[in-house]
């Protein structure tokens, strides 16, 4: 009954699902062990995917052949492209999801993969022989064998939940925590730490008065995440905006002396950019109101998520404070908010493949690495799943550079700098963010996904066609010459200077006052029209033309630095041999064991002169 597998994935959250799917799609036999098969791909917190920088990650996961984008498209109830008024590097897709459909679509996708077996149980030990993982042991005392193991335990390791003065063992509401595994990993030599996160109360939508709130509609023309032919929304559900006020703050303050955060009962650090409501009114005492997004949890449910009101104050305080919010006067609460504190493993103990440095073929992905967010977890799961498969079949490492994707930025940040608080992605973390846009993730990554056998032929062909269409349209725009008499009227109406002689459409598109909304009109000036290409091709072409100089500069910078990214350092390199290294530099290099000179140069404490010494040693 208990076969041995190429890859075992522990945990079926966002990281675990992507890991299992990737490894199995590439040909590994996979066993997915999870504590509760009814909670596969649960959205522990808000029912939403994407958002600023996170939407770009979902597009990258999709471009490589992962499933989060497809599942999001199949389960969304509202879509918005955030930051449309800013430059294209900032455009970020975000959807409101149907929580149940999301989880169900994931389960269906995994069940449809014949290479995946399932087992409901709790893993409390990894079996290690001669520095290499060879399997896992479960609560039922069963040993499963595997060539690679991916741990994606989320918030469950020694999880403790807090509501006011009440404390429960658990990884998520109504779910047990996982015990034993942290202690065993620590006994193997791993370092662990403690973090915390929190979630708001859920309320009954029938008890709310939406006439007192602002309606937030989805986009008129909803987009989607996947580059494949998933459906777009034809109807959408609205979200709503309301605000806290002084009365709400006063109610919340009555619970401060019972707050597990303010009384020091929670030790772990929480996500700074996703603070609890009590934290917000405490830290920003001069602000008289905070925004609350009232978000439906799905198509066919009255349950509503109160975004912006994450709290671990006593439930009666939560209720009293909620009922002072405009529109919430008659609120009925379904479940209180709570905080959860859990173990994580500082990610500086990992290689760029997410394999641990200490135990061969053992991988960590998701919240266990100190990150927060479904998207951050999903992309790590994908990368760990790919590399777990490649290790199992003895193929080379698969990594993504910082200049190639947010996924590269995230993993490099984690393994190079570590994190003291739950790490979430921001566009500001990426030095090449104009290259790493949501519109071009397929052009950046699909070929890589295809080469390793993850992205399908169909996906690859679609990307090649898009690349050709963009190139053809760029050429048509370049050769289209406009006569002053045909365009000057329009230019005047835009407040743009008129032409004295013929000029190419190409140069006209570069003018800052010509924006993307004008493009459809301008493309009609091409003698044969834009050639029946889709909106994605038009958008991509125009972005590449408008920002050409900027993008070229950024590409050149990336290429310059890439030279260092391509200079590998042997993981067993003896830094003690290089006496000229600074003391701090040598200690950090010995501890973090960077994979490349590029990574070494980003370690805090490794000085430019340390890098020069390494380069001289390597004959550069
Ligand atoms: C209360 C709460 C609030 C949150 N708030 C936010 C927020 O505001 N913003 C945000 O971006 N993110 C938030 N998150 C985080 C978000 O849910 C996670 O980042 C994301 O779900 C992590 O994905 P994961 O796959 O790493 O782990 P999870 O989604 O937690 O999945 C872990 C899976 O592993 C299983 N498992 C664990 N241990 C074992 C074991 N030993 N054996 C077998 N199975 C095991 C669990 O059953 C579960 O299925 C919150 C999470 C919680 C719980």
């Amino acid at each position: 009954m208990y076969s041995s597998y190429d890859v075992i994935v522990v945990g079926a959250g966002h990281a675990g699902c992507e890991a299992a799917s990737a490894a199995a799609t590439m040909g590994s036999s996979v066993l997915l062990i999870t504590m509760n098969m009814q909670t596969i791909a649960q959205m522990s917190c808000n029912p939403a995917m994407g958002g600023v920088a996170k939407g770009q990650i979902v597009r990258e996961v999709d471009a490589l052949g992962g499933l989060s984008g497809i599942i999001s498209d199949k389960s969304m109830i509202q879509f918005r492209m955030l930051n449309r008024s800013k430059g294209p590097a900032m455009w970020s897709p975000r959807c409101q999801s149907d929580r149940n459909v999301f989880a169900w679509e994931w389960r269906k996708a995994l069940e449809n993969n014949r290479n995946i077996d399932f087992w409901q149980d709790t893993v409390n030990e990894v079996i290690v022989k001669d520095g290499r993982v060879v399997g896992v042991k479960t609560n039922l005392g069963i040993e499963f064998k595997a060539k690679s193991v991916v741990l994606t335990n989320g918030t469950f390791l020694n999880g403790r939940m807090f509501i006011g003065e009440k404390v429960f063992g658990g990884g998520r509401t109504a779910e047990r925590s996982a015990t034993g595994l942290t202690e065993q990993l620590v006994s193997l030599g791993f370092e662990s730490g403690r973090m915390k996160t929190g979630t708001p109360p859920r309320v009954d939508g029938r008890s709310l008065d939406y006439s007192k709130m602002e309606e937030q509609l989805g986009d008129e023309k909803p987009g989607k995440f996947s580059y494949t032919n998933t459906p777009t929304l034809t109807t959408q559900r609205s979200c709503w905006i309301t605000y806290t006020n002084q009365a709400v703050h006063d109610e919340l303050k009555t619970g401060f002396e019972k707050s597990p955060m303010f009384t020091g009962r929670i030790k772990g650090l929480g996500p700074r950019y996703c603070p609890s409501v009590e934290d917000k009114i405490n830290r920003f005492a001069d602000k008289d109101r905070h925004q609350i997004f009232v978000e439906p949890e799905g198509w066919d449910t009255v349950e509503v998520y109160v975004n912006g009101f994450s709290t671990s104050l006593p439930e009666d305080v939560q209720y009293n404070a909620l009922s002072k919010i405009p529109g919430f006067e008659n609120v009925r609460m379904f479940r209180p908010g709570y905080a959860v504190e859990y173990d994580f493993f500082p990610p500086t103990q990992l290689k760029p493949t997410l394999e641990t440095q200490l135990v061969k073929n053992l991988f960590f992905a998701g919240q266990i690495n100190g990150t927060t967010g479904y998207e951050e977890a999903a992309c790590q799961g994908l990368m760990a799943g790919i590399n777990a498969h490649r290790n199992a079949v003895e193929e080379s490492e698969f990594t993504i550079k910082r200049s190639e994707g947010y996924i590269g930025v995230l993993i490099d940040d984690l393994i190079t700098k570590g994190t003291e608080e739950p790490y979430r992605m921001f566009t500001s973390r990426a030095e090449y963010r104009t290259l790493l846009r949501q519109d071009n993730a397929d052009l950046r990554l699909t070929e890589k996904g295809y080469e390793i056998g993850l992205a399908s032929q169909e996906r690859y062909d679609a990307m090649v066609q898009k690349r050709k269409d963009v190139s053809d349209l760029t050429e048509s725009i370049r050769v289209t010459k406009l006569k002053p008499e045909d365009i000057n009227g329009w230019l005047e109406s835009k407040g743009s200077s008129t032409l004295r002689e013929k000029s190419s459409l190409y140069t006209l598109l570069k003018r800052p006052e010509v924006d993307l909304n004008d493009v459809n009109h301008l493309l009609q000036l091409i003698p044969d029209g834009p050639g029946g290409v889709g909106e994605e091709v038009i958008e991509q072409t125009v972005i590449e033309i408008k920002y050409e100089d900027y993008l070229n500069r950024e590409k050149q910078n990336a290429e310059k630095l890439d030279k260092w990214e391509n200079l590998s350092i042997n993981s067993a390199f003896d830094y003690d041999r290089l006496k000229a290294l600074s003391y701090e530099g040598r200690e950090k290099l010995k501890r973090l064991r960077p994979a490349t000179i590029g990574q070494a140069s980003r370690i805090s404490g490794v000085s430019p002169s340390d890098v020069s010494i390494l380069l001289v040693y390597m004959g550069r």
Side-chain angles (χ1 to χ4, degrees):
M1 174 185 168
Y2 309 123
S3 350
S4 81
Y5 291 86
D6 292 323
V7 176
I8 288 177
V9 176
V10 179
H14 306 266
C17 289
E18 283 290 0
S21 167
T25 304
M26 292 166 73
S28 273
S29 58
V30 174
L31 177 65
L32 179 55
I33 307 180
T34 196
M35 286 165 66
N36 182 352
M37 292 222 10
Q38 305 312 317
T39 59
I40 287 178
Q42 262 303 302
M43 297 177 125
S44 315
C45 199
N46 58 334
M49 286 294 281
V52 178
K54 289 164 170 271
Q56 283 84 329
I57 293 181
V58 180
R59 296 279 270 172
E60 290 181 4
V61 166
D62 182 71
L64 284 165
L67 293 187
S68 290
I70 292 175
I71 307 278
S72 299
D73 288 350
K74 288 182 175 174
S75 55
M76 65 170 77
I77 61 173
Q78 189 198 72
F79 179 92
R80 292 198 311 132
M81 184 65 83
L82 306 183
N83 285 336
R84 262 282 183 200
S85 58
K86 299 186 180 164
M90 300 301 288
W91 297 355
S92 305
R94 182 202 192 262
C95 74
Q96 203 63 42
S97 305
D98 184 309
R99 176 188 300 285
N100 291 331
V101 177
F102 182 90
W104 185 241
E105 286 292 342
W106 251 121
R107 178 150 174 176
K108 269 201 302 193
L110 296 171
E111 286 182 5
N112 277 335
N113 193 323
R114 302 294 300 219
N115 283 348
I116 303 179
D117 277 357
F118 299 85
W119 184 254
Q120 177 171 299
D121 206 342
T122 301
V123 167
N124 46 25
E125 200 178 316
V126 291
I127 309 170
V128 178
K129 279 212 176 96
D130 303 325
R132 171 188 289 264
V133 74
V134 292
V136 299
K137 197 168 169 183
T138 72
N139 240 359
L140 292 175
I142 302 167
E143 289 191 7
F144 291 98
K145 300 270 181 301
K147 294 178 187 154
S148 304
V149 171
V150 186
L151 295 184
T152 68
N153 301 73
T155 51
F156 287 72
L157 295 175
N158 291 322
R160 283 186 349 131
M161 296 183 293
F162 300 81
I163 303 174
E165 291 177 312
K166 297 172 192 141
V167 186
F168 318 84
R172 189 164 54 196
T173 184
E175 289 184 67
R176 277 186 301 123
S177 61
T179 53
L181 193 52
T182 303
E183 294 70 16
Q184 194 238 344
L185 291 169
V186 168
S187 77
L188 291 172
F190 285 98
E191 195 191 316
S192 76
R194 229 39 202 150
M195 279 184 177
K196 80 118 200 164
T197 186
T199 196
R202 313 299 199 269
V203 302
D204 184 339
R206 294 170 301 184
S207 65
L208 303 183
D209 180 355
Y210 292 103
S211 69
K212 296 190 177 158
M213 307 180 202
E214 296 160 27
E215 187 168 11
Q216 191 182 42
L217 297 166
D219 282 357
E220 216 168 289
K221 278 210 288 185
K224 59 195 190 83
F225 286 99
S226 180
Y227 291 98
T228 63
N229 59 355
T230 47
T232 35
L233 285 173
T234 46
T235 51
Q236 303 190 63
R237 277 200 78 173
S238 293
C239 296
W240 303 83
I241 298 175
T242 182
Y243 296 88
T244 62
N245 51 40
Q246 199 52 51
V248 177
H249 300 182
D250 291 343
E251 278 299 340
L252 289 168
K253 282 181 194 157
T254 64
F256 275 15
E257 80 240 26
K258 291 185 182 164
S259 156
M261 279 186 1
F262 299 149
T263 51
R265 265 174 295 133
I266 296 184
K267 302 271 182 286
L269 268 179
R272 182 192 323 206
Y273 304 101
C274 205
S276 64
V277 66
E278 52 266 34
D279 221 9
K280 282 192 270 193
I281 60 172
N282 195 39
R283 273 203 276 157
F284 310 108
D286 53 326
K287 267 195 104 176
D288 53 12
R289 66 176 201 171
H290 295 279
Q291 207 167 32
I292 301 289
F293 294 93
V294 180
E295 302 177 336
E297 293 248 341
W299 288 117
D300 301 313
T301 175
V302 295
E303 192 163 353
V304 164
Y305 178 90
V306 190
N307 194 344
F309 207 83
S310 168
T311 177
S312 55
L313 291 173
E315 66 282 0
D316 55 333
V317 176
Q318 295 187 26
Y319 173 77
N320 291 338
L322 275 177
S323 59
K324 298 277 184 311
I325 298 175
F328 281 62
E329 293 80 358
N330 299 310
V331 68
R332 282 192 301 274
M333 205 159 78
F334 277 174
R335 359 177 176 176
Y338 65 94
V340 57
E341 195 184 37
Y342 53 92
D343 296 334
F344 79 105
F345 289 85
T348 46
Q349 304 172 92
L350 302 173
K351 298 179 183 177
T353 53
L354 299 181
E355 184 185 15
T356 65
Q357 301 206 19
L358 205 58
V359 177
K360 186 139 183 48
N361 287 18
L362 176 64
F363 294 80
F364 291 172
Q367 195 111 355
I368 189 176
N369 287 336
T371 59
T372 176
Y374 311 135
E375 304 78 3
E376 288 83 349
C379 74
Q380 290 174 70
L382 184 80
M383 294 299 285
I386 291 171
N387 282 298
H389 162 80
R390 288 175 74 83
N391 272 21
V393 296
E394 297 181 5
E395 281 176 357
S396 60
E397 297 179 342
F398 179 79
T399 56
I400 289 172
K401 292 182 192 151
R402 294 182 74 91
S403 55
E404 290 174 327
Y406 276 94
I407 300 176
V409 173
L410 179 135
I411 293 178
D412 184 66
D413 277 354
L414 290 178
I415 64 169
T416 309
K417 299 181 193 143
T419 184
E420 308 266 294
E421 59 186 279
Y423 177 103
R424 68 152 288 182
M425 186 46 79
F426 295 106
T427 49
S428 57
R429 296 201 194 265
E431 54 275 63
Y432 308 115
R433 62 180 162 276
T434 46
L435 300 181
L436 310 184
R437 303 183 313 272
Q438 60 81 33
D439 57 275
N440 68 358
D442 54 344
L443 301 179
R444 289 184 273 125
L445 297 172
T446 294
E447 194 160 356
K448 281 181 85 105
Y450 176 69
E451 279 166 4
I452 57 169
L454 183 58
S456 65
Q457 184 71 45
E458 217 181 338
R459 231 180 226 288
Y460 177 72
D461 292 345
M463 182 277 294
V464 171
Q465 185 63 46
K466 178 172 163 188
R467 194 176 268 166
K468 181 175 180 306
D469 288 346
V470 169
S471 159
D472 290 351
L473 183 57
T474 307
E475 192 47 31
S476 301
I477 291 172
R478 211 184 275 279
V479 297
T480 299
K481 300 280 186 250
L482 304 175
K483 292 187 201 140
E485 58 269 32
D486 291 338
I487 192 71
N488 279 350
W490 185 83
L491 287 173
E492 267 170 20
S493 75
K494 294 291 296 178
S496 191
S497 54
T498 51
L499 301 181
R500 285 208 211 101
E501 53 196 38
K502 268 186 171 182
S503 173
S504 76
L505 178 54
Y506 193 84
T507 41
L508 206 71
L509 281 177
K510 280 179 175 287
R511 291 187 177 188
E513 59 276 19
V514 174
D515 63 40
L516 282 163
N517 297 326
D518 301 322
V519 165
N520 281 335
H521 168 74
L522 289 174
L523 293 188
Q524 298 315 316
L525 302 171
I526 299 174
D528 299 326
V533 292
E535 276 182 27
E536 282 219 339
V537 169
I538 293 176
E539 190 176 280
Q540 178 73 43
T541 308
V542 175
I543 290 172
E544 294 279 342
I545 293 173
K546 278 193 93 58
Y547 298 93
E548 186 186 19
D549 301 339
Y550 202 63
L551 292 172
N552 281 344
R553 224 174 309 138
E554 203 144 277
K555 270 183 211 150
Q556 280 165 10
N557 280 344
E559 276 159 20
K560 246 189 259 166
L561 293 176
D562 256 8
K563 288 186 193 139
W564 281 12
E565 302 304 327
N566 294 333
L567 283 180
S568 310
I569 309 176
N570 187 318
S571 61
F573 186 81
D574 180 9
Y575 291 100
D576 286 328
R577 273 166 47 193
L578 301 185
K579 299 284 179 234
L581 286 174
S582 66
Y583 176 76
E584 187 186 358
R586 182 183 303 111
E587 290 307 302
K588 290 272 178 69
L589 289 163
K590 276 162 67 178
R591 191 159 67 82
L592 297 177
R593 303 237 150 249
T596 62
I597 293 283
Q599 192 196 340
S601 71
R602 289 187 291 275
I603 297 175
S604 87
V606 174
S607 66
S609 80
D610 291 329
V611 175
S612 302
I613 292 161
L614 289 173
L615 286 169
V616 169
Y617 179 82
M618 295 172 98
R620 309 283 167 148

